[in-house]
């Protein structure tokens, strides 16, 4: 049995956070486990609030899972405070957890700050170097680099800067690009583009959560990074088409 864990926030409306992550794990044959870092209050349009969990509560959720299962991948989403970031970094280091996919969740599309700014800096310093791949969207790439990230060229510059700072692979997601949804991957080998088509009129809430979890599930099955990203993008597109057809 391939087991993965998501360490992320709960979106009770199911579009983002751990509920979306678990569905993505399952779609790729991974048994999903989860630790909740924050209980948010939201629906698919708006975040109303967030009740962050204390760091020791986050640790208490993860340790027994690690004790029982041999985890094949770790998806990290919303880590709201410095203390929670430190606990997660410490657990990854001490247990040598494999296939760490870090989605640096900072702010919701609707504009709600999901972590505080000093925590965003700490996430970059402490956790990015422990990740195999970091998956910021364009807004998150701007906050993490201090660069302007509005087009493909700027995405490439930000991806390279983050890769060099963290020495991990970086996928800057172009879902907010007007003309396409192309993503930029920077690894030690260089830059690779993943072309995507914008799916107009779809509700994109939670697409970042699904993508990073689908990448983690594919890495857990032994796929190479580029193939894991391709398969994850296909999965996210198929969920967007399905949601659009059903709405
Ligand atoms: N809520 C939680 C728990 C999340 O993890 C995220 C994003 O990763 C969001 C909300 C925001 O989702 P979106 O910006 O896609 O609406």
């Amino acid at each position: 049995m391939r087991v993965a864990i998501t360490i992320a926030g709960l979106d009770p409306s199911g579009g983002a956070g751990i509920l979306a992550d678990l569905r993505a794990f399952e779609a790729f044959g991974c048994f999903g486990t989860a630790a909740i870092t924050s209980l948010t209050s939201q629906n698919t349009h708006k975040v109303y609030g967030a009740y962050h969990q204390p760091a020791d509560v986050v640790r208490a959720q993860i340790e027994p899972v690690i004790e029982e299962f041999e985890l094949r991948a770790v998806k990290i989403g919303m880590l709201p405070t410095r203390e929670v970031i430190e606990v997660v970094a410490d657990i990854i280091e001490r247990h040598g957890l494999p296939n760490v996919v870090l989605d640096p969740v900072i702010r919701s599309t609707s504009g709600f700050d999901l972590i505080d700014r000093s925590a965003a800096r700490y996430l970059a310093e402490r956790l990015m170097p422990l990740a195999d791949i970091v998956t910021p969207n364009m807004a998150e790439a701007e906050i993490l680099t201090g660069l302007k990230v509005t087009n493909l060229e700027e995405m490439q510059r930000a991806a390279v800067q983050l890769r060099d700072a963290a020495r991990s692979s970086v996928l800057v997601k172009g879902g907010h690009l007007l003309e396409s949804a192309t993503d930029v991957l920077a690894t030690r080998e260089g830059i690779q583009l993943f072309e995507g088509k914008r799916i107009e009129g779809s509700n994109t809430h939670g697409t970042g959560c699904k993508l990073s979890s689908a990448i983690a599930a594919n890495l857990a099955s032994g796929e190479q990074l580029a193939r894991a990203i391709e398969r994850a993008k296909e999965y996210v597109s198929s969920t967007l088409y399905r949601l659009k057809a059903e709405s």
Side-chain angles (χ1 to χ4, degrees):
M1 184 170 69
R2 290 193 302 279
V3 184
I5 191 167
T6 166
I7 305 170
L10 172 71
D11 164 7
S13 61
I18 61 160
L19 295 175
D21 297 341
L22 292 173
R23 267 183 251 120
F25 285 169
E26 201 141 285
F28 290 100
C30 246
F31 181 79
T33 64
I36 299 179
T37 57
S38 184
L39 301 169
T40 73
S41 163
Q42 64 178 303
N43 55 31
T44 63
H45 304 294
K46 188 173 169 196
V47 181
Y48 291 86
Y51 305 86
H52 302 333
Q53 297 303 293
D56 57 345
V57 173
V58 175
R59 184 187 288 280
Q61 294 174 78
I62 302 170
E63 295 278 12
V65 175
I66 292 180
E67 194 182 294
E68 177 162 358
F69 299 107
E70 190 187 331
L71 295 175
R72 299 266 287 263
V74 182
K75 179 262 161 83
I76 300 170
M78 175 182 178
L79 299 186
T81 62
R82 253 184 104 91
E83 292 72 26
V84 169
I85 292 166
E86 180 51 36
V87 157
V88 172
D90 176 63
I91 288 173
I92 290 169
E93 281 177 333
R94 273 192 308 115
H95 296 277
L97 298 181
N99 297 321
V100 176
V101 180
L102 170 61
D103 185 15
V105 173
I106 296 175
R107 182 181 292 162
S108 75
T109 310
S110 60
F112 188 92
D113 282 330
L114 293 162
I115 75 175
D116 39 83
R117 277 299 163 95
S118 75
R121 267 196 303 279
Y122 196 57
L123 188 73
E125 279 166 35
R126 179 75 175 100
L127 208 51
M128 276 179 43
L130 300 180
D132 293 282
I133 177 164
V134 187
T135 63
N137 61 28
M138 293 165 72
E140 290 157 351
E142 282 195 341
I143 293 169
L144 292 169
T145 59
L147 299 172
K148 194 154 76 77
V149 184
T150 56
N151 57 37
L152 255 188
E153 201 178 303
E154 291 169 355
M155 287 167 70
Q156 295 190 35
R157 206 169 303 141
V160 167
Q161 180 173 316
L162 286 173
R163 175 202 64 190
D164 292 347
R167 274 178 265 111
S168 55
S169 298
V170 175
L171 182 74
V172 177
K173 299 170 294 186
H176 294 95
L177 284 178
L178 280 181
E179 68 278 20
S180 71
T182 300
D183 299 343
V184 174
L185 174 68
T187 66
R188 258 181 313 175
E189 283 78 46
I191 295 266
Q192 191 175 344
L193 300 187
F194 292 84
E195 311 240 324
K197 237 180 45 215
R198 282 186 72 78
I199 301 166
E200 293 301 336
S202 50
N203 184 338
T204 56
H205 169 62
T207 46
C209 302
K210 292 174 196 160
L211 186 84
S212 51
S213 305
I215 293 172
N218 277 283
L219 293 176
S221 339
E223 295 290 355
Q224 294 299 307
L225 182 59
R227 183 69 190 128
I229 292 170
E230 277 168 13
R231 295 189 65 180
K233 278 179 75 77
E234 283 161 16
Y235 168 73
V236 170
S237 300
S238 71
T239 64
L240 287 177
Y241 278 121
R242 209 192 59 232
L243 285 172
K244 191 177 168 185
E246 285 169 2
S247 65

